[in-house]
Amino acid sequence: MRLFRTTNDERRTTRWGNQSGVALILVLSALVIITTMAAEFAYNTNVNYHLAMNDRDRLKAHYLALSSYRFMLVELKFDKMFQRTIQQRNLGQFMGSEANIPLCQQFPISTELIKAVFVESGEGGGEGEGGGEAAEGEGGGSPIPAEFSKMISLEQREAAREFLNVDGDFDGECVDEGKKINLNAFAQWKPDQPVATGLNDFDKFKAYLIQFFKNPSYEDAFEKADVRPEDVVRNIADWVDTNERVNELGGVMGAPEDTMYTKQDITYPLKNYKFTTLQEIYLVEGITDDWFAPMESRFTIYGDEKVDVCNADEDIVISLIRRYVESREEPPA
C-alpha cells in the first residue's frame, strides 16, 4: 500500500486556483450585468428619444394646421367685404361665374405660395439677373411677375422671411361643406319618436340615404364590397344615435348595437354620438374603401340635414328632388 501526502505548497496552489476561478466568474458576471444594463439604458434612451421627437412633430403639425386655419378665417372675413363690393358696384357682369367663388378658393393659403410672393420673387436680382419674369422660362426663380415683386418692399420681404422660418409647411383648403349630406344629422332625432302615420324624421332620413346609395352608378361598388345599402345606413344611424339598440325602419328595435363589434378580433364600443371626423366612419360595421371611397366627397359631418342644392353635385340634387316629390301626397302637376 502506497501513501500520498499533500504538502502545504500544493494546498496553497489549489486554494489559489479555486479563488482565481471564483474571481474570474465574478468578473465575467459583473461584465455581463454591466453590458446588459448599458444595452437596456441605450434602448430605453432611444425609445424615449423617438417618443419625444414624435411628440415634437405632432406639436409642430398641430400649430401649422392652426396657422392655416387662422389664415383661412381671415380670408373668409375679407370674402364678405369682397362679395359686398361686387354687389354694390355691380361687378358680377364683368367677373361672370368667378364672382361667386370664395376668396379662399381663388387664393388658397399655403407657405409655398407666401414664399413665392414675398420671398422668392425678389431673390436673384432684377429681370436681367434671373429675377421676375426672366427667371420663369429658365426655371431658376419664381413665376411671380417682376412688376408685382417690385411692389413688395425689402422690409416686408425680410418680415416674411422671418415669419416663414419654420420647420414645416401647411396648405389650407377651403371646401363648401353645405353642399354635402351630413351623416351626423341622425343625432338630432330620436329613433323611437312617435308619429301618427308613416315614418318619423329619423327613419325618413335613413330611407333617403338608402335611396341615395341605391343609385345605379354605385351598384357595382356595393356588390364588390358584398354589403347592402340598408345595412350600412342602419349601422351609421346606430353609431350616431343615443340609444343602444339596433333600429330598423318603422321603429322596430332589435338586438344590442354592440353585438356586431364585440365579435370582431379587435373589439371596441359604439360611440352613440356624432362623428368627430369623417374618417371615423370606417369604424362602423360595413364601411369599406370598396364602396365608400368613390362617394366620400358627397358626405360631411357638419351642418344639418339641409343641403345647398345650388352648389351640390348632380346626383345629390337628383336624390333631393326625388325625396321631395315622394314626400308629397300628390305629385306636382
Side-chain angles (χ1 to χ4, degrees), residues 45-311:
T45 302
N46 187 51
V47 171
N48 291 331
Y49 171 79
H50 284 89
L51 288 175
M53 293 299 102
N54 290 339
D55 288 339
R56 181 204 62 183
D57 294 340
R58 189 178 296 110
L59 185 63
K60 287 182 178 180
H62 169 77
Y63 281 105
L64 283 171
L66 185 61
S67 299
S68 177
Y69 170 72
R70 296 282 173 81
F71 271 116
M72 301 303 289
L73 289 180
V74 172
E75 275 200 315
L76 289 175
K77 180 179 180 180
F78 280 100
D79 182 64
K80 296 180 180 179
M81 301 171 56
F82 175 69
Q83 296 296 334
R84 192 182 303 116
T85 303
I86 291 177
Q87 294 177 0
Q88 293 176 351
R89 300 187 179 182
N90 196 22
L91 299 178
Q93 56 180 336
F94 303 104
M95 301 180 62
S97 59
E98 295 183 357
N100 298 323
I101 301 178
L103 283 177
C104 58
Q105 294 183 357
Q106 297 188 38
F107 304 99
I109 290 296
S110 68
T111 50
E112 293 184 357
L113 177 62
I114 299 176
K115 290 177 182 178
V117 173
F118 290 96
V119 180
E120 297 174 2
S121 60
E123 294 179 351
E127 295 182 20
E129 299 178 4
E133 292 178 337
E136 181 179 0
E138 301 173 1
S142 171
I144 304 300
E147 293 79 4
F148 184 82
S149 65
K150 293 178 181 178
M151 298 170 58
I152 304 172
S153 65
L154 180 61
E155 182 180 355
Q156 292 175 329
R157 209 179 305 280
E158 290 298 329
R161 184 179 289 106
E162 181 180 358
F163 173 76
L164 294 172
N165 187 23
V166 295
D167 184 14
D169 295 289
F170 63 76
D171 290 284
E173 182 181 8
C174 182
V175 180
D176 184 6
E177 300 290 336
K179 64 180 183 180
K180 302 179 182 180
I181 301 174
N182 179 24
L183 297 178
N184 277 336
F186 287 110
Q188 61 185 322
W189 302 301
K190 293 183 178 180
D192 55 352
Q193 177 186 358
V195 290
T197 57
L199 301 175
N200 58 24
D201 293 334
F202 184 87
D203 285 339
K204 285 180 180 178
F205 193 67
K206 287 174 66 175
Y208 163 66
L209 277 183
I210 293 173
Q211 181 189 74
F212 179 78
F213 285 146
K214 286 188 175 181
N215 188 313
S217 59
Y218 304 141
E219 184 176 354
D220 293 339
F222 278 99
E223 290 182 357
K224 181 179 179 180
D226 193 23
V227 293
R228 300 193 317 144
E230 295 86 348
D231 295 336
V232 296
V233 171
R234 179 200 62 204
N235 295 342
I236 292 173
D238 287 336
W239 184 274
V240 177
D241 65 27
T242 56
N243 71 359
E244 299 179 355
R245 310 291 294 186
V246 175
N247 302 284
E248 302 290 350
L249 280 175
V252 179
M253 297 288 181
E257 295 173 346
D258 59 355
T259 53
M260 66 183 67
Y261 299 95
T262 55
K263 297 179 181 179
Q264 302 182 16
D265 296 335
I266 302 177
T267 60
Y268 49 89
L270 270 79
K271 190 172 186 179
N272 282 331
Y273 194 67
K274 296 180 179 180
F275 293 104
T276 304
T277 65
L278 187 59
Q279 295 302 311
E280 185 184 327
I281 196 174
Y282 284 99
L283 296 175
V284 178
E285 175 67 17
I287 309 297
T288 62
D289 277 332
D290 292 331
W291 70 268
F292 186 73
M295 63 180 75
E296 182 176 355
S297 60
R298 270 64 169 176
F299 299 101
T300 182
I301 58 172
Y302 305 104
D304 49 26
E305 82 281 7
K306 298 179 181 179
V307 180
D308 181 9
V309 295
C310 296
N311 298 309

